[in-house]
Amino acid sequence: MRGTILHSPGDVRLEDRPDPTITAPTDAIIRIVATCVCGSDLWPYRGIEPVNRPTPMGHEYVGVVEAIGGDVRQIRPGQFVVGSFFASDNTCEICRAGYQSSCVHREPVGAGGAQAELLRVPLADGTLVATPELPSDDLVPGLLAASDVLGTGWFGAVAAEVLPGKTVAVVGDGAVGLLAVLAARHFGAERIIAMSRHADRQKLALEYGATDIVTERGDDGVARIKDLTGGLGAHSVIEAVGTQESMLQAIRSTRPGGHVGYVGVAHGVELPGDELFFSHVHLHGGPAPVRRFLPELIELITSRTIDPGKVFDLALPLDQVAEGYKAMDERRAIKTLLRP
Amino acid sequence: MRGTILHSPGDVRLEDRPDPTITAPTDAIIRIVATCVCGSDLWPYRGIEPVNRPTPMGHEYVGVVEAIGGDVRQIRPGQFVVGSFFASDNTCEICRAGYQSSCVHREPVGAGGAQAELLRVPLADGTLVATPELPSDDLVPGLLAASDVLGTGWFGAVAAEVLPGKTVAVVGDGAVGLLAVLAARHFGAERIIAMSRHADRQKLALEYGATDIVTERGDDGVARIKDLTGGLGAHSVIEAVGTQESMLQAIRSTRPGGHVGYVGVAHGVELPGDELFFSHVHLHGGPAPVRRFLPELIELITSRTIDPGKVFDLALPLDQVAEGYKAMDERRAIKTLLRP
């Protein structure tokens, strides 16, 4: 099969690779229908995270089940499935509490690289969710979004305890931030402030339900949020970047007693304990337990209640994967969808 | 009147000072019945926090109202009252959400120093809570505990979302940690693990409802908590120290999806963002909004349902305040009660 390998910062290629095989009786092999490039893929692509060896890339996927191991009971060949970046048994105490991405048996699905034609998914029964029927082609981008960016934005909104009537701010206007806006709207937030400096992203944020746009960042951004909330700060702030600046911006934009839901993978973040202490915020986040939300998200997408697929503003054949990375790196695209 | 002044680390004295007066129409002046030395008073006493000028000490108090300003409506002279370390209006949006210690009009009550004969309390209506009648003398220590350490331990348990059936660990065996054990028991925790290395404190922890004692600290302490919880960590961990080691011990002792309630005033704490991200814990805490809990705590104490006053294992007349600090500094006493 063909799969994507990152050799060094900026050097990403589609190459011939061995087909994955069933290695445990709980595995499934799926034929990828669509995959994509994640904001977090840009960290090593940009050299901010080290690239120590040729690395298979991609952890977002939808596909059709091709083969299953002898212990797989819920998933059958021929089904169209959506899965998340961490495989989970979905039966342990941590999974049952809704934290499948910290499952005691978790494995990164992306180890084999989902930007490929075939993917081995461990713990298939606990990881994959099948759609009720084969989806029409126009639903594929939305279902692919559920695999990570929608599930992650959704978790950000849940972690930030977005509820009807609340004022919500979203730090970060990548696909996760934009879909956090969609989630906040779905949960009934009264006011949704998207922090964005890019016209195309502002437009999509408004389409997804943002009521206000703040273009300032850092202390100025915090001051604008305070202005818009009677000096108090937002009830709920969703952080979808993962830098020191964005985390502090999120914490400082939240009122005492309010909630920060942080889902940007933290890079070089050190939180000052005394400031956090006196901020009185609730802090929750981490790698989204997407599996918790997948059944509901699939239902909302296939019923056409929500359309998260709009975050894909560039669709390319898989063999143009290098251009897909480049367009996102240069901010010419919000998110690149790839079809084998 | 006489009041306590800290001149430099280790040098604390009772001195003649001017009587406080009503300076705003919302003030009350109370005659102190009992006050005490707080673990946080030891930070400047030990020179860990700078002492830049002679500083009035003390922020925990019960007393009888002596005078009120012209705008005070709820509180009357002659009432026995309990208040918290931050004055609050108890009417702003932040107070109504239960975060009185971040009230938009908050003032530190301790500015004048509660280890004294008289104390000016700003925003008396929103800060003080009167007991139904003058309490008998043996209830005074318990009511004094409600002023800070009980309210703080209680908030720790609330912030850590202690609920029936949960396993709770408490980091810190000072008065706050011990009363967090009492709170966890009151909230119905099934298992309460007190982390303590001191026999007298272990004894009181067990009396307050601890089911297990862990004497190890740091990584060893975390390993013991994991041992006791099937490898997962506690559902709820209450942090009542405020150091880097204790915060990391708390976070690492909590299972994914669990809750850390941190109430130890943070000193020199820097939380590593990536570890926090992958820990999947909820983090909440800060200066306890004691006012939120005071009506309930006063009811539980005056009905003799709980007895938080046991944390005072040393009672001295106010003029022996220096010995009161020394005994706590040298860990000869858990907490010193002072009577003018």
Coordinates of all heavy atoms in Angstrom, one line a residue, chain A residues 86 93-94 99 101-102 104 106 155 161 232 235 255-257 262-266 269-274 276-289, chain B residues 86 93-94 99 101-102 104 106 155 161 232 235 255-257 262-266 269-274 276-289:
Chain A
F86 N -6.7 7.5 19.7 CA -6.3 6.5 20.7 C -7.3 5.3 20.6 O -8.5 5.4 20.6 CB -6.3 7.0 22.1 CG -5.1 7.7 22.5 CD1 -5.1 9.1 23.0 CD2 -3.8 7.1 22.4 CE1 -4.0 9.7 23.3 CE2 -2.7 7.8 22.8 CZ -2.8 9.1 23.3
E93 N -12.5 0.8 33.8 CA -13.1 1.8 34.6 C -12.9 3.2 34.1 O -13.8 4.1 34.3 CB -12.5 1.6 36.0 CG -13.4 2.0 37.1 CD -12.9 1.7 38.5 OE1 -12.3 0.6 38.7 OE2 -13.1 2.5 39.4
I94 N -11.7 3.5 33.5 CA -11.5 4.8 33.0 C -12.3 5.1 31.8 O -12.9 6.2 31.6 CB -10.0 5.0 32.6 CG1 -9.1 4.7 33.9 CG2 -9.7 6.3 32.0 CD1 -9.3 5.6 35.1
Y99 N -13.3 8.5 29.8 CA -12.0 9.0 29.4 C -11.2 7.9 28.6 O -10.2 7.5 28.9 CB -11.2 9.4 30.7 CG -11.8 10.7 31.2 CD1 -12.9 10.7 32.0 CD2 -11.3 11.9 30.7 CE1 -13.5 11.9 32.4 CE2 -11.9 13.1 31.1 CZ -13.0 13.1 31.9 OH -13.5 14.3 32.3
S101 N -9.6 8.1 26.0 CA -8.2 8.4 25.6 C -7.2 8.3 26.7 O -6.0 8.5 26.4 CB -8.2 9.9 25.0 OG -8.9 10.8 25.8
S102 N -7.6 7.9 27.9 CA -6.7 7.4 28.9 C -7.0 6.0 29.3 O -6.6 5.5 30.4 CB -6.8 8.3 30.2 OG -6.1 9.5 30.0
V104 N -6.9 2.2 30.1 CA -5.7 1.5 30.7 C -5.0 0.6 29.6 O -3.8 0.3 29.8 CB -6.1 0.6 31.9 CG1 -6.6 1.5 33.0 CG2 -7.1 -0.5 31.5
R106 N -4.9 1.8 26.3 CA -4.9 2.6 25.1 C -3.6 2.4 24.3 O -2.5 2.1 24.8 CB -5.0 4.1 25.5 CG -3.7 4.7 25.9 CD -3.8 6.2 26.0 NE -2.6 6.8 26.6 CZ -2.4 8.0 27.0 NH1 -3.5 8.9 26.9 NH2 -1.3 8.4 27.4
F155 N -15.2 18.1 23.1 CA -14.6 17.9 24.4 C -14.2 19.2 25.1 O -14.5 19.5 26.3 CB -13.5 17.0 24.4 CG -12.8 16.7 25.7 CD1 -13.5 16.3 26.8 CD2 -11.4 17.0 25.9 CE1 -12.9 16.0 28.1 CE2 -10.8 16.7 27.1 CZ -11.6 16.3 28.2
E161 N -17.6 23.4 30.4 CA -18.9 23.4 30.9 C -19.8 24.4 30.3 O -20.5 25.2 30.9 CB -18.9 23.6 32.4 CG -18.2 22.4 33.1 CD -18.7 21.9 34.4 OE1 -19.6 22.6 35.0 OE2 -18.3 20.9 34.9
L232 N -15.9 41.0 33.9 CA -15.7 39.8 34.7 C -15.0 38.7 34.0 O -14.3 37.9 34.7 CB -17.1 39.3 35.1 CG -18.0 40.2 35.9 CD1 -19.4 39.5 36.2 CD2 -17.3 40.6 37.2
H235 N -17.8 33.0 31.1 CA -18.1 31.9 31.9 C -17.2 30.7 31.6 O -16.7 30.0 32.4 CB -19.5 31.5 31.8 CG -20.5 32.5 32.2 ND1 -21.2 33.3 31.3 CD2 -21.0 32.8 33.5 CE1 -22.0 34.1 32.0 NE2 -21.9 33.8 33.3
R255 N -13.8 34.2 34.1 CA -14.2 34.9 35.3 C -13.9 33.9 36.5 O -13.8 32.7 36.3 CB -15.7 35.2 35.3 CG -16.6 34.0 35.3 CD -18.1 34.5 35.3 NE -18.3 35.4 34.2 CZ -19.4 36.2 34.1 NH1 -20.3 36.2 35.0 NH2 -19.6 36.9 33.1
P256 N -13.7 34.4 37.7 CA -13.6 33.5 38.9 C -14.8 32.6 39.0 O -15.9 33.0 38.8 CB -13.6 34.5 40.1 CG -13.2 35.8 39.5 CD -13.7 35.8 38.1
G257 N -14.5 31.3 39.2 CA -15.5 30.3 39.2 C -15.9 29.7 37.8 O -16.6 28.8 37.7
Y262 N -9.3 23.0 27.9 CA -8.1 23.2 27.1 C -7.8 21.9 26.3 O -7.7 20.8 26.9 CB -6.9 23.7 27.9 CG -6.3 22.7 28.9 CD1 -5.1 22.0 28.7 CD2 -7.0 22.5 30.1 CE1 -4.6 21.2 29.6 CE2 -6.5 21.6 31.1 CZ -5.3 21.0 30.8 OH -4.8 20.1 31.7
V263 N -7.7 22.0 25.0 CA -7.6 20.9 24.2 C -6.4 21.0 23.2 O -6.2 20.1 22.4 CB -8.9 20.5 23.4 CG1 -9.9 20.0 24.4 CG2 -9.5 21.7 22.7
G264 N -5.8 22.2 23.1 CA -4.6 22.3 22.3 C -3.5 21.6 23.0 O -3.2 21.7 24.2
V265 N -2.8 20.7 22.2 CA -1.7 19.9 22.8 C -0.6 20.8 23.3 O -0.1 21.6 22.6 CB -1.1 18.9 21.8 CG1 -0.1 18.0 22.4 CG2 -2.2 18.0 21.2
A266 N -0.4 20.7 24.7 CA 0.5 21.7 25.3 C 1.9 21.5 24.8 O 2.5 20.4 24.8 CB 0.4 21.5 26.8
V269 N 4.4 24.6 27.9 CA 3.6 25.4 28.8 C 4.0 25.2 30.2 O 4.2 24.0 30.6 CB 2.1 25.0 28.6 CG1 1.2 25.7 29.6 CG2 1.6 25.4 27.2
E270 N 4.2 26.3 31.0 CA 4.4 26.2 32.4 C 3.4 27.1 33.1 O 3.5 28.4 32.9 CB 5.8 26.7 32.8 CG 7.0 25.8 32.3 CD 7.2 24.7 33.3 OE1 6.9 24.8 34.5 OE2 7.8 23.7 32.8
L271 N 2.5 26.6 33.9 CA 1.5 27.4 34.4 C 1.9 27.9 35.8 O 2.2 27.2 36.7 CB 0.2 26.7 34.6 CG -0.5 26.2 33.3 CD1 -1.8 25.5 33.6 CD2 -0.7 27.4 32.4
P272 N 1.9 29.3 36.0 CA 2.3 29.8 37.3 C 1.2 29.5 38.3 O 0.1 29.9 38.2 CB 2.3 31.3 37.0 CG 1.6 31.6 35.8 CD 1.5 30.3 35.0
G273 N 1.7 28.7 39.4 CA 0.7 28.2 40.4 C 0.0 29.3 41.1 O -1.2 29.2 41.4
D274 N 0.7 30.4 41.4 CA 0.0 31.5 42.2 C -1.1 32.2 41.4 O -2.2 32.5 41.9 CB 1.0 32.5 42.8 CG 1.9 33.0 41.8 OD1 2.0 32.5 40.6 OD2 2.6 34.0 42.1
L276 N -2.7 30.9 38.9 CA -3.8 29.9 38.7 C -4.7 29.9 40.0 O -5.9 29.9 40.0 CB -3.2 28.5 38.5 CG -4.1 27.5 37.9 CD1 -4.6 27.9 36.5 CD2 -3.4 26.2 37.7
F277 N -4.0 29.9 41.2 CA -4.7 29.8 42.5 C -5.7 30.9 42.6 O -6.8 30.7 42.9 CB -3.6 29.8 43.6 CG -4.1 29.7 45.0 CD1 -4.4 28.4 45.5 CD2 -4.4 30.7 45.8 CE1 -4.8 28.2 46.8 CE2 -4.9 30.6 47.1 CZ -5.1 29.3 47.6
F278 N -5.2 32.2 42.4 CA -6.0 33.3 42.6 C -7.0 33.6 41.4 O -7.9 34.4 41.6 CB -5.2 34.6 42.9 CG -4.6 34.5 44.3 CD1 -3.3 34.1 44.5 CD2 -5.4 34.7 45.4 CE1 -2.7 34.0 45.8 CE2 -4.9 34.6 46.7 CZ -3.5 34.3 46.9
S279 N -6.8 32.9 40.3 CA -7.8 33.0 39.2 C -9.1 32.4 39.5 O -10.1 32.8 38.9 CB -7.2 32.4 37.9 OG -7.3 31.0 38.0
H280 N -9.1 31.4 40.4 CA -10.4 30.7 40.8 C -11.0 30.0 39.6 O -12.2 29.8 39.7 CB -11.4 31.7 41.4 CG -11.5 31.6 42.9 ND1 -12.0 32.6 43.6 CD2 -11.3 30.6 43.7 CE1 -12.0 32.3 44.9 NE2 -11.6 31.0 45.0
V281 N -10.3 29.7 38.5 CA -10.9 29.0 37.4 C -10.9 27.5 37.6 O -10.1 27.0 38.4 CB -10.3 29.4 36.1 CG1 -10.3 30.9 35.8 CG2 -8.9 28.8 35.9
H282 N -11.8 26.8 36.9 CA -11.7 25.4 36.8 C -10.9 25.1 35.5 O -11.1 25.8 34.5 CB -13.1 24.7 36.6 CG -14.0 24.9 37.7 ND1 -14.7 26.1 38.0 CD2 -14.5 24.0 38.6 CE1 -15.5 25.9 39.0 NE2 -15.4 24.7 39.4
L283 N -10.0 24.1 35.6 CA -9.2 23.8 34.5 C -9.4 22.3 34.2 O -9.2 21.5 35.1 CB -7.7 24.1 34.9 CG -6.7 24.3 33.8 CD1 -7.0 25.6 33.0 CD2 -5.3 24.6 34.5
H284 N -9.8 22.0 32.9 CA -9.9 20.6 32.6 C -9.6 20.5 31.1 O -9.9 21.4 30.3 CB -11.3 20.1 32.9 CG -11.4 18.6 32.6 ND1 -10.4 17.7 33.0 CD2 -12.4 17.9 32.0 CE1 -10.8 16.5 32.6 NE2 -12.0 16.6 32.0
G285 N -9.0 19.4 30.7 CA -8.8 19.2 29.3 C -7.9 18.0 29.0 O -7.9 17.1 29.8
G286 N -7.1 18.1 28.0 CA -6.3 16.9 27.6 C -6.7 16.3 26.3 O -7.5 16.9 25.6
P287 N -6.1 15.2 26.0 CA -6.5 14.5 24.7 C -7.9 14.1 24.8 O -8.4 13.4 25.7 CB -5.5 13.3 24.7 CG -5.0 13.1 26.1 CD -5.1 14.4 26.8
A288 N -8.7 14.6 23.8 CA -10.1 14.4 23.8 C -10.5 12.9 23.8 O -10.0 12.2 23.0 CB -10.8 15.1 22.7
P289 N -11.4 12.5 24.7 CA -11.9 11.1 24.6 C -13.0 11.1 23.6 O -14.2 11.0 23.9 CB -12.5 10.9 26.0 CG -12.9 12.3 26.5 CD -11.9 13.3 25.8
Chain B
F86 N -11.6 37.2 53.5 CA -11.9 38.2 52.5 C -13.3 38.8 52.8 O -14.3 38.0 52.9 CB -11.9 37.7 51.1 CG -10.6 37.6 50.4 CD1 -10.1 36.4 49.9 CD2 -9.8 38.8 50.3 CE1 -8.8 36.4 49.3 CE2 -8.6 38.8 49.7 CZ -8.1 37.6 49.2
E93 N -22.2 39.5 40.9 CA -22.4 38.2 40.1 C -21.5 37.1 40.5 O -21.8 35.9 40.5 CB -22.2 38.6 38.6 CG -23.0 37.7 37.7 CD -22.9 38.2 36.2 OE1 -22.9 39.5 36.0 OE2 -22.9 37.4 35.3
I94 N -20.2 37.5 40.9 CA -19.3 36.5 41.3 C -19.7 35.9 42.7 O -19.6 34.7 42.8 CB -17.9 37.2 41.4 CG1 -17.4 37.8 40.0 CG2 -16.8 36.1 41.9 CD1 -17.4 36.8 38.9
Y99 N -18.4 32.5 44.6 CA -17.0 32.8 44.7 C -16.8 34.1 45.4 O -16.1 35.0 45.0 CB -16.4 32.7 43.3 CG -16.3 31.3 42.9 CD1 -17.4 30.7 42.3 CD2 -15.2 30.5 43.2 CE1 -17.3 29.3 41.9 CE2 -15.1 29.2 42.9 CZ -16.2 28.6 42.2 OH -16.2 27.3 41.9
S101 N -14.8 34.9 47.7 CA -13.4 35.3 47.9 C -12.8 35.9 46.6 O -11.7 36.4 46.7 CB -12.6 34.1 48.4 OG -12.9 33.0 47.7
S102 N -13.6 36.0 45.6 CA -13.2 36.8 44.4 C -14.2 37.9 44.1 O -14.3 38.4 43.0 CB -13.0 35.9 43.1 OG -11.8 35.3 43.1
V104 N -16.2 41.2 43.5 CA -15.6 42.4 42.8 C -15.3 43.5 43.7 O -14.5 44.4 43.4 CB -16.6 42.9 41.7 CG1 -16.8 41.8 40.6 CG2 -17.9 43.4 42.2
R106 N -14.0 42.8 46.9 CA -13.4 42.1 48.0 C -12.3 42.9 48.6 O -11.6 43.7 48.0 CB -12.8 40.7 47.6 CG -11.5 40.8 46.9 CD -10.9 39.4 46.8 NE -9.6 39.5 46.1 CZ -8.9 38.5 45.6 NH1 -9.4 37.3 45.7 NH2 -7.8 38.7 44.9
F155 N -14.1 23.6 51.1 CA -14.0 24.0 49.7 C -13.1 23.0 48.9 O -13.4 22.6 47.7 CB -13.4 25.4 49.5 CG -13.2 25.9 48.1 CD1 -14.2 25.9 47.2 CD2 -12.0 26.3 47.7 CE1 -14.1 26.3 45.9 CE2 -11.8 26.8 46.4 CZ -12.8 26.8 45.5
E161 N -14.8 17.5 44.1 CA -16.0 16.8 43.8 C -16.1 15.5 44.5 O -16.4 14.4 43.9 CB -16.2 16.6 42.2 CG -16.2 17.9 41.5 CD -17.1 18.0 40.3 OE1 -17.7 16.9 39.9 OE2 -17.3 19.1 39.8
L232 N -5.1 2.9 39.5 CA -5.7 4.0 38.7 C -5.5 5.4 39.3 O -5.4 6.4 38.6 CB -7.2 3.7 38.6 CG -7.7 2.5 37.9 CD1 -9.2 2.3 37.9 CD2 -7.1 2.4 36.5
H235 N -10.2 9.0 43.0 CA -11.2 9.8 42.2 C -11.0 11.3 42.5 O -11.1 12.1 41.6 CB -12.6 9.5 42.6 CG -13.0 8.1 42.3 ND1 -13.1 7.1 43.3 CD2 -13.5 7.5 41.2 CE1 -13.5 6.0 42.7 NE2 -13.7 6.2 41.5
R255 N -6.7 9.8 39.3 CA -7.0 9.0 38.1 C -7.4 10.0 36.9 O -7.9 11.0 37.2 CB -8.0 8.0 38.3 CG -9.4 8.5 38.6 CD -10.4 7.4 38.8 NE -10.0 6.5 39.9 CZ -10.5 5.3 40.1 NH1 -11.5 4.8 39.3 NH2 -10.1 4.6 41.1
P256 N -7.2 9.5 35.7 CA -7.7 10.3 34.6 C -9.2 10.5 34.7 O -10.0 9.6 35.1 CB -7.5 9.4 33.4 CG -6.3 8.5 33.8 CD -6.5 8.3 35.3
G257 N -9.7 11.8 34.5 CA -11.1 12.1 34.7 C -11.4 12.5 36.1 O -12.5 13.0 36.4
Y262 N -7.5 22.1 45.1 CA -6.2 22.6 45.7 C -6.5 23.9 46.5 O -7.0 24.8 45.9 CB -5.1 22.7 44.7 CG -5.3 23.8 43.6 CD1 -4.5 24.9 43.7 CD2 -6.1 23.6 42.6 CE1 -4.7 25.9 42.7 CE2 -6.3 24.5 41.6 CZ -5.6 25.7 41.7 OH -5.8 26.6 40.7
V263 N -6.1 23.8 47.7 CA -6.4 25.0 48.6 C -5.2 25.4 49.4 O -5.3 26.4 50.1 CB -7.6 24.6 49.6 CG1 -8.9 24.5 48.8 CG2 -7.4 23.3 50.3
G264 N -4.1 24.7 49.2 CA -2.9 25.3 49.8 C -2.4 26.5 49.0 O -2.3 26.4 47.8
V265 N -2.1 27.6 49.7 CA -1.7 28.8 49.0 C -0.4 28.5 48.2 O 0.6 28.1 48.8 CB -1.6 30.0 49.9 CG1 -1.2 31.2 49.2 CG2 -2.8 30.3 50.7
A266 N -0.5 28.7 46.9 CA 0.6 28.2 46.1 C 1.9 29.1 46.3 O 1.8 30.3 46.3 CB 0.2 28.3 44.6
V269 N 5.0 27.5 42.8 CA 4.5 26.4 42.0 C 4.5 26.7 40.5 O 4.1 27.8 40.1 CB 3.1 26.0 42.4 CG1 2.6 24.9 41.5 CG2 3.1 25.5 43.9
E270 N 5.1 25.8 39.7 CA 5.0 25.9 38.2 C 4.5 24.6 37.7 O 5.2 23.6 37.8 CB 6.4 26.2 37.6 CG 7.0 27.5 37.9 CD 6.5 28.6 36.9 OE1 6.1 28.3 35.8 OE2 6.5 29.8 37.4
L271 N 3.3 24.6 37.1 CA 2.8 23.3 36.7 C 3.2 23.0 35.2 O 2.9 23.8 34.3 CB 1.2 23.3 36.8 CG 0.7 23.5 38.2 CD1 -0.8 23.5 38.1 CD2 1.2 22.4 39.1
P272 N 3.8 21.9 35.0 CA 4.2 21.5 33.6 C 3.0 21.2 32.8 O 2.2 20.3 33.0 CB 5.1 20.3 33.8 CG 4.7 19.7 35.1 CD 4.2 20.8 36.0
G273 N 2.8 22.0 31.7 CA 1.5 22.0 30.9 C 1.3 20.6 30.2 O 0.2 20.1 30.2
D274 N 2.4 20.0 29.8 CA 2.2 18.7 29.0 C 1.8 17.6 30.0 O 1.0 16.8 29.7 CB 3.5 18.4 28.2 CG 4.7 18.4 29.1 OD1 4.7 18.9 30.2 OD2 5.8 17.8 28.6
L276 N 0.2 18.0 32.8 CA -1.2 18.3 33.2 C -2.2 17.9 32.1 O -3.2 17.3 32.3 CB -1.3 19.8 33.5 CG -2.5 20.3 34.2 CD1 -2.5 19.7 35.6 CD2 -2.6 21.8 34.3
F277 N -1.8 18.2 30.8 CA -2.6 17.8 29.7 C -2.9 16.3 29.6 O -4.1 15.9 29.6 CB -1.9 18.3 28.4 CG -2.7 18.1 27.1 CD1 -3.6 19.1 26.7 CD2 -2.5 17.0 26.3 CE1 -4.3 18.9 25.5 CE2 -3.2 16.9 25.1 CZ -4.1 17.8 24.7
F278 N -1.9 15.6 29.8 CA -2.0 14.1 29.6 C -2.6 13.5 30.9 O -2.9 12.3 30.9 CB -0.8 13.4 29.1 CG -0.5 13.7 27.7 CD1 0.4 14.7 27.3 CD2 -1.3 13.1 26.7 CE1 0.6 15.0 25.9 CE2 -1.1 13.4 25.3 CZ -0.2 14.3 25.0
S279 N -2.6 14.2 32.0 CA -3.1 13.6 33.3 C -4.6 13.5 33.2 O -5.2 12.7 34.0 CB -2.7 14.6 34.5 OG -3.5 15.7 34.5
H280 N -5.2 14.3 32.4 CA -6.7 14.3 32.3 C -7.4 14.6 33.6 O -8.6 14.2 33.7 CB -7.2 12.9 31.8 CG -7.6 12.8 30.4 ND1 -7.6 11.7 29.7 CD2 -8.0 13.8 29.5 CE1 -8.0 11.9 28.4 NE2 -8.3 13.2 28.3
V281 N -6.8 15.3 34.5 CA -7.5 15.6 35.8 C -8.2 16.9 35.6 O -8.0 17.7 34.7 CB -6.5 15.7 37.0 CG1 -5.7 14.4 37.2 CG2 -5.6 16.9 36.9
H282 N -9.2 17.1 36.5 CA -9.8 18.4 36.7 C -9.1 19.1 37.8 O -8.8 18.5 38.8 CB -11.3 18.3 37.1 CG -12.2 17.6 36.2 ND1 -12.2 16.2 36.0 CD2 -13.2 18.1 35.4 CE1 -13.2 15.9 35.1 NE2 -13.8 17.0 34.7
L283 N -8.8 20.4 37.6 CA -8.1 21.2 38.6 C -8.9 22.4 39.0 O -9.3 23.1 38.1 CB -6.8 21.6 37.9 CG -5.6 22.0 38.8 CD1 -5.1 20.8 39.6 CD2 -4.4 22.4 37.9
H284 N -9.2 22.5 40.3 CA -9.9 23.6 40.7 C -9.5 23.9 42.2 O -9.2 23.0 42.9 CB -11.4 23.4 40.7 CG -12.2 24.6 41.0 ND1 -12.0 25.9 40.5 CD2 -13.3 24.8 41.8 CE1 -12.8 26.8 41.0 NE2 -13.6 26.1 41.8
G285 N -9.5 25.2 42.5 CA -9.1 25.6 43.9 C -9.0 27.1 44.0 O -9.6 27.8 43.2
G286 N -8.1 27.4 44.9 CA -7.9 28.9 45.2 C -8.3 29.2 46.6 O -8.6 28.4 47.4
P287 N -8.3 30.5 46.8 CA -8.7 31.0 48.2 C -10.2 30.6 48.4 O -11.1 31.0 47.6 CB -8.6 32.5 48.1 CG -8.5 32.9 46.6 CD -8.0 31.7 45.9
A288 N -10.5 29.9 49.4 CA -11.8 29.3 49.7 C -12.8 30.4 49.8 O -12.7 31.3 50.6 CB -11.8 28.4 50.9
P289 N -13.9 30.3 49.1 CA -15.1 31.2 49.3 C -15.8 30.7 50.6 O -17.0 30.2 50.5 CB -15.9 31.0 48.0 CG -15.6 29.6 47.5 CD -14.2 29.3 48.0

